[in-house]
Amino acid sequence: SLHDKLAELGSKVLPGYISDHLITGQFTLTPQDHVQASYCKKIQKTDLELDLKQTPIQILRKIRAFSPIPRAFVINYNRRGKILDAKIVDDELNILQVKPEGKSIMSYHDYCLAHPKIL
C-alpha cells in the first residue's frame, strides 16, 4: 500500500519539482559516499520462500518486502502459493489474500474453503 501511495504522491509532486528546481538549476549534486554504500545480492527464488518457523512479524516483513513483485510464497502440498497480503492481529499473522499456483488471486478465507490452512 505504501508503494501505491508514494507513486500517486510522486506523480503529483514531481512535475512541480522539476520545473522549480531542475530546470532553473537550483539544486546541488552530492556524490555518493562509497565507503558508506552497501551491497545487496541478487534476489534468488529461495529468498522468497517463507519460513513458517519465524515470528509473525518477521514473516509479515518478508511478505511486504517482496510485494508487489516478485512476491513471497509458501509451498503447501508441493504447490507454491504466493502470499499477497497479511496483517498481525493479537500477535498472530492473519493472511488476507493469496494466489495459489495456477489459480487467480483470492481471499485466504476462500482458499481455506477448499484447501488446508497454510498457517
Side-chain angles (χ1 to χ4, degrees):
S1 67
L2 180 62
H3 171 273
D4 296 341
K5 290 174 187 175
L6 289 176
E8 186 172 332
L9 179 64
S11 69
K12 293 176 183 174
V13 175
L14 187 60
Y17 179 81
I18 290 173
S19 63
D20 293 345
H21 294 87
L22 295 179
I23 293 174
T24 61
Q26 297 176 352
F27 66 95
T28 56
L29 296 176
T30 306
Q32 175 176 309
D33 181 359
H34 293 288
V35 173
Q36 294 183 356
S38 60
Y39 174 78
C40 181
K41 67 180 179 79
K42 184 176 178 182
I43 297 171
Q44 304 293 321
K45 281 191 179 183
T46 56
D47 298 327
L48 303 174
E49 186 171 1
L50 296 174
D51 180 359
L52 302 181
K53 295 174 188 161
Q54 291 183 317
T55 66
I57 191 71
Q58 290 172 317
I59 295 171
L60 181 63
R61 286 176 180 164
K62 195 167 190 178
I63 292 168
R64 289 182 175 171
F66 295 121
S67 178
I69 53 173
R71 302 232 164 123
F73 68 88
V74 294
I75 295 179
N76 196 20
Y77 292 96
N78 295 324
R79 303 281 301 204
R80 182 178 301 185
K82 294 182 179 181
I83 310 298
L84 309 182
D85 195 15
K87 65 180 180 179
I88 296 198
V89 176
D90 298 327
D91 294 326
E92 288 187 13
L93 184 71
N94 287 354
I95 299 172
L96 302 175
Q97 199 172 41
V98 297
K99 184 184 180 313
E101 190 173 40
K103 304 279 185 180
S104 300
I105 294 172
M106 63 180 70
S107 73
Y108 184 59
H109 174 267
D110 291 347
Y111 172 83
C112 290
L113 293 175
H115 301 86
K117 289 188 175 186
I118 295 171
L119 295 175

